[in-house]
Amino acid sequence: MAAEPTVTMGSGNGASALRPPHHKDLQAKRKWMKEHMAACFRYMGREGYGKEGLAGHMSYRDPLVEHAFWTNPLGRPFSLMRASDLVLVDHNGAVVETEGGNVAPINKAAFAIHSALHMARADVEAAVHAHSIHGKAFASLGIELDTITQDSCLFYKDHAVYDHFGGVAFDEEEGRAIARALGDKKALILQNHGLLTTGTTIDEATFLFGAMDRCCHAQLLADAAAAGRGIKTKPIGEEEAVYTHAEISSHAASYMQFQPEYQLILHDTNGDFML
């Protein structure tokens, strides 16, 4: 496991707000999870990651119902998502109607991908997938990210490429193939498709999605600029990449990195996403 972030926050002055709370009451934990998931959708919408019609989805493993996860209802805009919109789905793809969630249809591909991920990886609590512009442009290359910026060290030897496009992932075998391609990594570039990121919280997975999309954008720009000059980009050295990855890539660090966005969404929406 990567090192905890070496930031100096002290024990007070709101430092605890930058770390996930520890809930003894699982109902309270579920409420908190759904609120943060709705906020993450608002972020995705604001960043333009929900522009491809019905494509794009998240999942968050439920703390009470075994082998069930929360996801977004089909057709609900990311930018309008509320906690009450979220749908609880079991391992068979059936909507769980007894836990107070929304009873609505979901994206079939969302179930195929996310159910396979959660079954294959007990450590994956949350996952995010969307067809972002720079993510899918980079995915068309079928290669991993180069370690050419400090931010790209987040994914140093911690992401993979699914080098096959099996069409829209409606088939459960395609979901299992995607889960196998992810392996023990935290992020996946789906060739000709888009990006997928995971985490122990939805905040972490969402931060990583945005970070990976921006790394794709930066590399596309850098590669084009280098080609125009007839040179190559300068990679970060192995030792420095290993060190930087260890310093910035823990679950806690990625969760904390999203909290400024959460605070901004809370401010801008006056907490509407919590409803």
Side-chain angles (χ1 to χ4, degrees):
M1 181 178 290
E4 288 297 300
T6 53
V7 292
T8 304
M9 296 187 299
S11 58
N13 298 322
S16 61
L18 294 176
R19 294 180 180 273
H22 295 284
H23 293 99
K24 294 181 180 179
D25 181 347
L26 294 185
Q27 288 286 356
K29 180 177 182 179
R30 175 190 277 175
K31 180 177 182 294
W32 178 89
M33 289 169 57
K34 291 174 67 179
E35 290 173 351
H36 276 246
M37 190 174 191
C40 288
F41 274 113
R42 295 291 182 107
Y43 164 82
M44 296 284 285
R46 191 192 71 201
E47 295 300 302
Y49 296 147
K51 294 293 187 181
E52 300 299 333
L54 304 180
H57 28 80
M58 300 186 193
S59 64
Y60 210 168
R61 193 191 301 269
D62 187 67
L64 290 165
V65 180
E66 188 176 14
H67 302 311
F69 59 86
W70 294 92
T71 191
N72 45 306
L74 192 66
R76 182 65 169 166
F78 288 2
S79 295
L80 297 179
M81 199 71 68
R82 290 173 167 175
S84 58
D85 291 321
L86 301 173
V87 182
L88 184 62
V89 184
D90 69 16
H91 65 287
N92 293 314
V95 174
V96 179
E97 300 184 18
T98 59
E99 296 295 319
N102 186 13
V103 178
I106 66 166
N107 187 316
K108 187 176 180 180
F111 174 74
I113 294 172
H114 293 272
S115 61
L117 287 177
H118 288 297
M119 291 299 289
R121 292 276 300 275
D123 61 316
V124 169
E125 295 292 325
V128 175
H129 168 63
H131 303 170
S132 58
I133 294 293
H134 301 105
K136 64 186 176 183
F138 189 83
S140 71
L141 304 175
I143 60 173
E144 293 183 8
L145 286 165
D146 292 336
T147 313
I148 56 173
T149 65
Q150 176 175 303
D151 296 321
S152 67
C153 291
L154 264 172
F155 304 101
Y156 179 70
K157 293 187 176 181
D158 209 358
H159 74 292
V161 176
Y162 178 45
D163 60 0
H164 173 71
F165 177 67
V168 181
F170 289 155
D171 185 73
E172 291 182 25
E173 178 50 41
E174 180 70 2
R176 288 190 286 269
I178 290 170
R180 287 193 296 270
L182 177 66
D184 63 353
K185 304 297 192 293
K186 67 184 176 187
L188 185 67
I189 297 170
L190 288 76
Q191 183 176 296
N192 311 116
H193 190 168
L195 308 178
L196 184 148
T197 54
T198 66
T200 56
T201 61
I202 197 67
D203 306 64
E204 176 187 1
T206 303
F207 166 73
L208 290 174
F209 186 91
M212 191 172 216
D213 187 64
R214 291 187 293 273
C215 284
C216 290
H217 190 182
Q219 186 167 334
L220 290 168
L221 290 173
D223 284 347
R229 291 172 175 267
I231 60 176
K232 293 183 178 181
T233 56
K234 302 291 186 181
I236 293 173
E238 171 87 8
E239 182 178 352
E240 292 79 10
V242 170
Y243 167 78
T244 306
H245 179 267
E247 286 295 304
I248 68 175
S249 69
S250 72
H251 299 307
S254 291
Y255 174 87
M256 284 192 285
Q257 293 274 39
F258 187 73
Q259 296 320 295
E261 298 290 353
Y262 180 84
Q263 293 171 37
L264 183 60
I265 292 161
L266 182 63
H267 174 273
D268 289 348
T269 67
N270 199 28
D272 178 75
F273 63 87
M274 294 180 170
L275 300 177

